[in-house]
Amino acid sequence: MVLTDAQQERYARHLLLDELGGEGQERLLSSCVRVRGSGLAARWAARYLAASGVGLLVLEDAGAASECRALSPDVRILGAHDLDLDPDLDLDPDRDAAREEKNKFSFLPSPAERGAAAALAALRHLVRP
């Protein structure tokens, strides 16, 4: 997959990162992530993944679909019931973030922080499988 001129402009900051670059951005655009849950953490994770350039999101929260489309014209959205394929990653922001961050904080992270932590872990996994 080759990035279009519009994608090169949209993801210009990503392309400058040694850890990501063009190859990593192409991996993101061709990847599929299922985001489980309908809470705020799942919605934030879906937003971060869409803005980062993940190509296909499978969402349980139908309300998040329009927000994700507004953040990235490249993202395709499917509902959880439409899934006939194996996603590259199955993400549950509440479960995954809670497990990773369990002993790091003396306070409970906000839904946005849990979503961000889950999305960041997903992006690392997708770019460097």
Side-chain angles (χ1 to χ4, degrees), residues 40 42-52 57 64 67-68 71 119:
L40 289 175
R43 188 169 278 208
W44 276 104
R47 288 174 183 159
Y48 288 126
L49 292 169
S52 296
L57 291 175
E67 295 171 2
C68 291
L71 290 167

Side-chain angles (χ1 to χ4, degrees), residues 15-127:
L15 300 176
L16 295 174
L17 298 172
D18 291 336
E19 299 82 14
L20 189 59
E23 189 177 312
Q25 190 63 52
E26 289 170 359
R27 264 192 237 123
L28 289 178
L29 285 164
S30 64
S31 64
C32 172
V33 178
R34 179 180 183 150
V35 181
R36 293 185 182 270
S38 58
L40 289 175
R43 188 169 278 208
W44 276 104
R47 288 174 183 159
Y48 288 126
L49 292 169
S52 296
V54 169
L56 175 61
L57 291 175
V58 180
L59 304 176
E60 291 180 0
D61 181 358
S66 61
E67 295 171 2
C68 291
R69 284 188 191 101
L71 290 167
S72 174
D74 296 318
V75 72
R76 291 182 307 131
I77 308 288
L78 294 177
H81 59 283
D82 296 325
L83 184 65
D84 321 353
L85 53 103
D86 247 354
D88 297 305
L89 191 61
D90 197 332
L91 185 65
D92 183 335
D94 284 316
R95 181 199 66 211
D96 298 341
R99 183 174 49 228
E100 280 188 33
E101 304 300 325
K102 186 176 182 182
N103 296 318
K104 291 184 181 179
F105 297 108
S106 58
F107 60 91
L108 212 74
S110 72
E113 291 166 327
R114 290 193 313 272
L120 181 60
L123 292 170
R124 276 193 218 118
H125 173 80
L126 294 169
V127 172

